Amino acid sequence: MSNDFDPSLAPRGSSGGSGEPAVCAACAVRNSSLCGALSSDEINELNKLSRRKSLDPGQTYVFEGDKALDFANVVQGVAKLTRGAEDGRLQIVGLLFPSDFIGGSMALGHGSDRKAEEPYTIEAVSPLELCIFPRAGFEKLLMRFPALEHKLLDRTLTELQVAREWMVLLGRKTAQERVATFILHVAEKMRNHGCHSSLGFDLPLGRGDIADHIGLTIETVSRQITQLKRKGIIDMQGARHVRSYDLDAL
Amino acid sequence: MSNDFDPSLAPRGSSGGSGEPAVCAACAVRNSSLCGALSSDEINELNKLSRRKSLDPGQTYVFEGDKALDFANVVQGVAKLTRGAEDGRLQIVGLLFPSDFIGGSMALGHGSDRKAEEPYTIEAVSPLELCIFPRAGFEKLLMRFPALEHKLLDRTLTELQVAREWMVLLGRKTAQERVATFILHVAEKMRNHGCHSSLGFDLPLGRGDIADHIGLTIETVSRQITQLKRKGIIDMQGARHVRSYDLDAL
DNA sequence: TGCACGATTTGATCTGAGTCAAAATCCATT
DNA sequence: AATGGATTTTGACTCAGATCAAATCGTGCA
């Protein structure tokens, strides 16, 4: 039965079902996620609340405008945070990688003036595994363990900086620079998550999603990537796998 | 001597000098700012730390890349948060209005992985008055008064949402929509700060700054405003004063 | 092995916003 | 009221990236 705790063997990509109890002690993001702020005693409390949920690529976890859902950690996989206008126009405002936290965007309980409504659609991009915490219970823990709130603030500040960095990209960079920046951004994320071997790494997004993230069209993204390849700045195998890249593709 | 406490008589726009002690009890943003989280006992402690500082339009408070400065509240006036590339390109990533907090972007003391370096340039746009708190002292208060950190988290989450909203604007909206959104955005801010009488309100930014905020050029901003006037969607007096606008300029 | 569908690439053309340049306004100061 | 510099507006032209369309490339599947 020891395998029960091995996250690599956890059921995944099945059907989006939820409900398997989480086991924090064996969690892949035990320390890198928000939970890293908790002692092992404290995390036991959290453990009682949490549930795992798997989503297949393309499946949506929440829709923009839904009533505010629960909190969650990304345990495995990549998700996109999306905001859309009535017509087809879509903007990806953020990517979620393992150990990222979901739910900060919603109103926190205590007298916030933000509405208790999801501002973004969250959709799995690769097979996704979440660790979900019921809203009320998690908020209570947040009150009791200041270190947890502390870490949440820290993460939120980092995300704010990332978002503003992206504003510079969207407002002032050329198509070529946007694609280059995007690739560097992903490369770093992949390195941090150990998905960046000497053979390179895979882009988690297709051309369309990349376009929606950096404010271009599919065709322009494709053309810019082709150019980067021609110039020898990146070397790819197939459309998704980056074999190597020149760090001065900045 | 009773006038000493009247903020409307406080020295302003003088020369960017700093040093007058603050008097929280008479502060214009006592309740609307972060300080609203503090009781009158608690705020007395903060009072001991705080200093006022005035800046003239165009003066810079901090430069991108400086060592992390102190924290501050905006008491009066408007400032812009700017991020620049080597060449001339500039992006305004945020505007600061009265009661907004400065300093969240920097690393907080406790084991943050953000660098202790100012990520943005902060420059006064209209005569600006700040209430400054020394870094170390304020961080101590932050530890002692959870309500303070709580409110800071709440504000940071709101700013994150604003930043992401702006990502949609920069990534997916047309020039016309950008200008319209900007005007609505300012109109609401002005309304919240009581600077929006029945005679309308003033745009705090010139054409160049508007352009840097919404990712266009000066000329395009000017042309779009001209068009909005022609269409009768807005009515202006001079380049800065908006007399009225059609809420469905969305 | 070969078919079929979605994703990507490439091509041709169009257009919204940028660039360069000059005229018109606005203000602050005298 | 007149002067001079900065800001805004307008005009003519260009170009990066969008749009429309078609050809490839992959990959799963029978």
Side-chain angles (χ1 to χ4, degrees), chain B residues 174-175 215-217 219-220 223-224 238:
Chain B
T174 65
L216 299 172
T217 59
E219 295 93 327
T220 302
R223 277 186 253 266
Q224 295 304 334

